[in-house]
Amino acid sequence: MNGGASVISRSTVLDVDGLKAQFSAQFTGTPQVFSAPGRVNLIGEHTDYNDGFVLPMAIERRTYVAGAKNGTSLLRVKSLTLGESVEVDLAGPARKRRGSWVDFVEGTARALLERKLPVVGCDLLIDSNVPHGAGLSASAALELALGIALVSLGGETEPDRVQLALAGQAAEHQYVGTMCGIMDQYIAALGERDAALLIDCRSLEPRAVPLRLGTARVLVCDTKVKHELSSSEYNVRREECERGVSILSEVLPGLRSLRDVSLGDFTTHAGRLPDVIRRRCLHVVTENERTLAAAEALSRGDLARVGQLMIESHASLRDDYQVSCAELDVAAEVAAAQPGVYGSRMTGGGFGGCTVTLAEESALPAVEAAVKAAFLSRGFREPELFATTACEGARRH
Ligand code: GLA
């Protein structure tokens, strides 16, 4: 690959008519097509399960579902990306944690039914261009694409998007076995074109923050690293935060989560915390402040400030929350050092996956070249970089 045009103009739109035709070749009935996006989080990492603030945007990569009712109690689902089919009998007992993608199908369908949303037997054909395991929330894209498809085919004309997001999260918790926060499902459900969403993860109130980027772009760098550690360490971080809350609540009565701890209170009482817990809490408390500040700066079009906050966020995740890795550090640091770059940081859960960079469009070729050269010289796998705009959440086509 050469030059920056590839970074900014790669086509990512999936052929909806082609998907319908493929559906008709394998199933009966006239399909309707739905989709939901992957996401990149601009800032606000590991804050969602602490009732805090996040600032993600939905990206151009999406998961598509073509579907039609089949008049039975069965969900018959085929994935074109995996070349596999699964079946779930809605009339049979719920089956959890089978360790394959059937957990997403069964979990989403059962969680929707628990919320009294209409789910009936359907044939579904799935295709996706959200890279799997890259930290761009391919799982949430799948849950939300399935969710909007099932509920719409079941007869709901205006599905409640927050309920769809909560059903996706419940599928993760109960069927897949990942104790994620709400960020990924929420942005996949409610993402808006040309805006990031500032989400208050306690009230679940979103505020659209228009991306006033001018000539700048959001650049994603997939390090191609998938650390097996990520889910076990994720749960450890959650427990460490809970431990911090329980110790701090001895001196801060009424404390429910780290969201309620101001930087002033934290500084006063940090001495009560064991060192590791103190660092985890410090990250969360400061990350909430950075996220609110970044949303405010973004809405003013102050990209220099947003970039600076992104760089501080990365340092905090690397040094205090300790969820980065060598590839993420190199990608973020090399990108941030290029002229025309405002800031760069790891995005998502960490231990691999992607960085997000805010940079002038004219700087993208140099950023791509510099990051690739740095990876090559260290013997890392070749990363993939792509620019993206902010897109709409789950939708019917
Ligand atoms: C993963 C989880 C999210 C969030 C991020 C870290 O993506 O699914 O809920 O906790 O990690 O910010």
Side-chain angles (χ1 to χ4, degrees):
M1 181 168 33
N2 74 43
S6 62
V7 176
I8 57 176
S9 65
R10 225 169 262 149
S11 170
T12 52
V13 180
L14 205 127
D15 173 14
V16 169
D17 288 334
L19 189 63
K20 282 184 181 169
Q22 296 211 52
F23 180 96
S24 300
Q26 322 199 20
F27 298 109
T28 53
T30 307
Q32 297 179 49
V33 177
F34 306 85
S35 72
R39 65 97 185 92
V40 69
N41 187 21
L42 295 177
I43 194 163
E45 218 64 81
H46 289 278
T47 45
D48 61 352
Y49 53 83
N50 288 299
D51 282 354
F53 298 94
V54 293
L55 189 64
M57 59 183 243
I59 60 173
E60 286 163 20
R61 311 279 179 116
R62 304 181 75 87
T63 293
Y64 294 75
V65 172
K69 289 197 272 190
N70 61 21
T72 74
S73 63
L74 296 180
L75 298 177
R76 295 188 292 234
V77 192
K78 176 161 188 192
S79 160
L80 288 173
T81 41
L82 296 172
E84 289 173 13
S85 298
V86 295
E87 238 179 56
V88 170
D89 188 352
L90 297 169
R95 298 170 67 192
K96 297 186 174 176
R97 303 197 188 179
R98 281 182 274 172
S100 92
W101 63 282
V102 72
D103 293 334
F104 292 94
V105 178
E106 175 122 32
T108 302
R110 303 277 179 198
L112 293 168
L113 286 167
E114 270 168 34
R115 284 168 174 71
K116 310 271 178 264
L117 292 165
V119 178
V120 297
C122 293
D123 294 333
L124 303 168
L125 183 65
I126 304 174
D127 202 358
S128 179
N129 55 30
V130 186
H132 182 72
L136 296 172
S137 292
S139 302
L142 175 59
E143 289 146 13
L144 268 292
L146 284 169
I148 193 165
L150 288 172
V151 168
S152 304
L153 294 169
E156 191 79 46
T157 43
E158 285 296 325
D160 178 334
R161 279 152 192 281
V162 175
Q163 289 302 318
L164 292 183
L166 289 168
Q169 185 193 32
E172 292 276 358
H173 287 192
Q174 294 165 27
Y175 287 80
V176 181
T178 303
M179 297 309 294
C180 61
I182 191 63
M183 170 170 69
D184 305 342
Q185 289 76 17
Y186 199 97
I187 188 69
L190 284 112
E192 290 187 19
R193 185 161 280 283
D194 298 324
L197 285 193
L198 176 65
I199 305 166
D200 177 333
C201 296
R202 172 172 282 161
S203 68
L204 296 186
E205 292 282 331
R207 178 157 75 75
V209 181
L211 287 182
R212 297 184 53 204
L213 296 182
T215 50
R217 294 287 174 267
V218 173
L219 179 68
V220 176
C221 170
D222 178 0
T223 64
K224 307 274 173 153
V225 177
K226 180 162 168 39
H227 276 277
E228 291 309 320
L229 269 180
S230 57
S231 67
S232 57
E233 286 294 319
Y234 187 88
N235 291 339
V236 171
R237 294 299 178 283
R238 284 190 77 130
E239 285 159 23
E240 288 166 341
C241 292
E242 282 161 21
R243 175 114 188 274
V245 170
S246 114
I247 297 172
L248 289 172
S249 65
E250 290 163 15
V251 283
L252 297 170
L255 185 67
R256 282 164 57 199
S257 66
L258 289 177
R259 147 70 175 276
D260 302 313
V261 181
S262 69
L263 189 53
D265 278 346
F266 179 77
T267 311
T268 307
H269 302 297
R272 306 178 72 89
L273 300 170
D275 188 54
V276 168
I277 306 291
R278 182 188 62 75
R279 289 160 71 181
R280 307 298 189 245
C281 295
L282 176 63
H283 165 73
V284 175
V285 170
T286 55
E287 185 77 350
N288 275 327
E289 298 211 338
R290 281 188 290 270
T291 305
L292 293 172
E296 197 268 327
L298 190 58
S299 62
R300 279 189 281 116
D302 184 351
L303 301 186
R305 177 77 182 130
V306 177
Q308 181 193 1
L309 291 161
M310 290 169 76
I311 290 169
E312 288 171 16
S313 168
H314 184 82
S316 178
L317 288 157
R318 181 190 60 211
D319 301 336
D320 287 328
Y321 217 67
Q322 295 183 298
V323 291
S324 190
C325 66
E327 291 84 351
L328 288 169
D329 290 345
V330 169
E333 282 153 30
V334 169
Q338 300 306 307
V341 174
Y342 296 102
S344 184
R345 58 180 288 277
M346 57 156 277
T347 185
F351 301 104
C354 292
T355 60
V356 57
T357 300
L358 190 55
E360 284 298 316
E361 183 170 333
S362 58
L364 299 188
V367 173
E368 179 174 31
V371 172
K372 286 191 168 172
F375 270 48
L376 186 65
S377 74
R378 286 168 179 78
F380 298 163
R381 284 183 67 184
E382 187 179 16
E384 186 194 349
L385 294 91
F386 62 93
T388 181
T389 57
C391 292
E392 68 275 26
R395 58 165 288 207
R396 179 196 294 259
H397 287 268

